[in-house]
């Protein structure tokens, strides 16, 4: 699966057009042949909100993926660094909605929408919430959906591999994906709803739970969602720290978070000078990023925040047919944006 900043990347000397500074190349092992097949769906996609796949090669022992690399950072890192104003959360979501609408129009489901798979190209002049929108908001970034390693074509069924092993990142997966049922555009909308919540809450979904089996069971059987803090607290007391879920199907971010939680429980002492230096670097990074996410409008009102919350809740209802469609979500987001600027 292609990661925004994969290990072992070899950068090309070719200089693509702005806003890209480099190309990145990833070598995929033969065992991940299905990932290479899924990435091939990106070859026919060309959209301003999708990272471009330039070349895809396969051999007996490995595969080669060459993609454009935006100047910027993953949305996950930005959310970890900054509390984004409502206006920018809406603009970011509109970019992702535009990318998903285009994918769905080409009969492709992404199936792994999450902040680590959204690249934010910084320093890119852009205005408005979309190509056809009449709302004009100046900003210096554009968001691009990447990592199609879990994507499928509509109607392809879950013939990823074994039907019992779901693709994607469990904490963002829809109930039908967890059950290995037939997937539709609504499955991507569910994952986008979880991502919208994360932009607001700035927490990993189901952050109090370490066991993925517990999360999957509660999401499917009891409609657990990441904003149910009371239920999460109860489950955290009853849930085992370790369980049998195969971590090869867990995102890198989840593994890192899990290790971080373990380290915190050990209560290890840290060198004060190291802590000060680290905090200073974080502050500098935060200040640099803040330049791109200043809001000319006042912070979103309680009413606008409530409307935003209602939208992501409408994206993650259990019944796929009852979720907001991408066009409905676009209109509702533009309404919030219009009243926030």
């Amino acid at each position: 699966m292609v990661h925004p900043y994969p290990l072992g990347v070899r950068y090309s000397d070719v200089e693509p057009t702005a806003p890209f500074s480099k190309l990145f190349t990833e070598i995929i092992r033969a065992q991940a042949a299905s990932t290479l097949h899924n990435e091939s769906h990106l070859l026919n996609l060309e959209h301003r909100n999708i990272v471009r796949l330039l070349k895809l090669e396969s051999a007996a022992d490995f595969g080669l993926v060459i993609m454009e690399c935006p100047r910027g950072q993953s949305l996950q890192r930005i959310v970890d660094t900054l509390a984004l104003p409502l206006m920018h959360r809406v603009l970011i979501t509109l970019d992702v909605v535009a990318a998903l609408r285009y994918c769905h129009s080409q009969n492709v489901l992404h199936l792994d929408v999450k902040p680590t798979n959204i690249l934010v190209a910084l320093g890119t002049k852009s205005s408005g919430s979309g190509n056809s929108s009449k709302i004009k908001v100046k900003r210096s970034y554009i968001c691009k959906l990447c990592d199609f390693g879990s994507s499928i074509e509509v109607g392809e069924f879950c013939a990823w591999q074994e039907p019992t092993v779901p693709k994607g990142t469990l904490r963002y997966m829809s109930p039908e994906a967890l059950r290995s049922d037939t997937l539709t555009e609504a499955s991507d909308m569910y994952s986008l709803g979880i991502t919208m919540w994360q932009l607001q809450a700035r927490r990993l979904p189901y952050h109090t739970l370490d066991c993925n089996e517990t999360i999957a069971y509660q999401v499917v059987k009891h409609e657990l969602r990441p904003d149910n803090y009371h239920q999460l607290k109860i489950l955290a007391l009853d849930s085992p720290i370790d369980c049998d879920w195969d971590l090869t199907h867990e995102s890198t971010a989840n593994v890192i978070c899990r290790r971080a939680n373990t380290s915190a429980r050990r209560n290890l002492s840290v060198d004060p000078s190291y802590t000060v230096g680290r905090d200073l670097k974080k502050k500098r990074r935060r200040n640099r990023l803040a330049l791109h996410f200043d809001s000319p409008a006042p912070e979103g009102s309680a009413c606008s925040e409530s409307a935003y919350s209602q939208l992501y809740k409408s994206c993650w209802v259990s019944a796929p047919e009852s979720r907001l469609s991408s066009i409905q979500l676009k209109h509702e987001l533009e309404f919030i944006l219009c009243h926030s600027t």
Side-chain angles (χ1 to χ4, degrees), residues 100-167:
L100 289 176
R101 288 186 65 200
Y102 177 75
C103 289
H104 298 164
S105 72
Q106 303 299 310
N107 294 320
V108 173
L109 305 181
H110 186 277
L111 300 184
D112 200 15
V113 178
K114 58 180 179 179
T116 52
N117 287 341
I118 299 168
L119 300 183
V120 183
L122 301 172
T124 305
K125 293 182 179 180
S126 180
S127 64
S129 60
N131 292 329
S132 61
S133 174
K134 297 180 180 179
I135 303 173
K136 299 298 180 183
V137 180
K138 291 184 179 180
R139 53 175 170 150
S140 60
Y141 65 88
I142 184 171
C143 299
K144 295 178 177 287
L145 189 63
C146 70
D147 197 340
F148 280 68
S150 297
S151 66
I152 63 171
E153 293 184 356
V154 174
E156 193 176 343
F157 184 58
C158 301
W160 301 307
Q161 346 288 344
E162 313 93 50
T164 56
V165 181
K167 277 278 196 172

Side-chain angles (χ1 to χ4, degrees), residues 219-235:
V219 166
V220 173
K221 296 296 184 181
H222 301 293
E223 300 188 350
L224 178 68
R225 298 297 182 264
D227 65 333
N228 192 338
Y229 300 111
H230 176 70
Q231 184 64 16
L232 285 171
K233 185 176 181 180
I234 294 175
L235 290 171

Side-chain angles (χ1 to χ4, degrees), residues 25-259:
T25 304
E26 183 178 17
I27 298 175
I28 299 177
R29 294 188 301 273
Q31 296 89 325
S34 62
T35 296
L36 196 65
H37 166 73
N38 296 338
E39 290 286 356
S40 69
H41 296 138
L42 187 53
L43 281 171
N44 299 322
L45 303 182
E46 187 172 346
H47 191 275
R48 67 194 294 265
N49 296 119
I50 298 176
V51 170
R52 288 180 58 196
L53 175 62
L54 301 178
K55 193 171 185 179
L56 193 66
E57 295 286 349
S58 61
D61 299 325
F62 65 90
L64 190 68
V65 178
I66 302 177
M67 305 179 74
E68 289 183 308
C69 181
R71 297 188 188 99
Q73 299 183 19
S74 72
L75 181 57
Q76 179 67 60
R77 189 168 185 181
I78 291 173
V79 172
D80 289 341
T81 306
L82 286 177
L84 294 171
L86 175 64
M87 183 189 81
H88 290 286
R89 279 180 270 137
V90 170
L91 289 171
I92 289 168
T93 307
L94 281 166
D95 278 356
V96 181
V97 169
L100 289 176
R101 288 186 65 200
Y102 177 75
C103 289
H104 298 164
S105 72
Q106 303 299 310
N107 294 320
V108 173
L109 305 181
H110 186 277
L111 300 184
D112 200 15
V113 178
K114 58 180 179 179
T116 52
N117 287 341
I118 299 168
L119 300 183
V120 183
L122 301 172
T124 305
K125 293 182 179 180
S126 180
S127 64
S129 60
N131 292 329
S132 61
S133 174
K134 297 180 180 179
I135 303 173
K136 299 298 180 183
V137 180
K138 291 184 179 180
R139 53 175 170 150
S140 60
Y141 65 88
I142 184 171
C143 299
K144 295 178 177 287
L145 189 63
C146 70
D147 197 340
F148 280 68
S150 297
S151 66
I152 63 171
E153 293 184 356
V154 174
E156 193 176 343
F157 184 58
C158 301
W160 301 307
Q161 346 288 344
E162 313 93 50
T164 56
V165 181
K167 277 278 196 172
T169 305
L170 186 141
R171 292 170 187 257
Y172 300 84
M173 288 168 60
S174 63
E176 64 270 20
L178 292 170
R179 294 192 301 264
S180 295
D181 287 348
T182 302
L183 304 179
T184 64
E185 292 89 342
S187 303
D188 279 337
M189 297 306 296
Y190 180 97
S191 301
L192 180 56
I194 302 292
T195 298
M196 290 173 65
W197 170 86
Q198 190 172 351
L199 295 183
Q200 184 183 67
R202 300 183 66 205
R203 293 175 175 174
L204 186 71
Y206 315 107
H207 59 284
T208 62
L209 301 179
D210 291 316
C211 182
N212 276 333
E213 286 180 333
T214 297
I215 295 171
Y217 179 82
Q218 293 294 332
V219 166
V220 173
K221 296 296 184 181
H222 301 293
E223 300 188 350
L224 178 68
R225 298 297 182 264
D227 65 333
N228 192 338
Y229 300 111
H230 176 70
Q231 184 64 16
L232 285 171
K233 185 176 181 180
I234 294 175
L235 290 171
L237 297 175
D238 298 332
S239 177
I241 294 177
D242 296 309
C243 51
D244 295 329
W245 185 270
D246 184 359
L247 285 180
T248 58
H249 300 287
E250 185 175 17
S251 73
T252 304
N254 292 352
V255 176
I256 293 174
C257 177
R258 193 165 174 180
R259 289 173 180 169

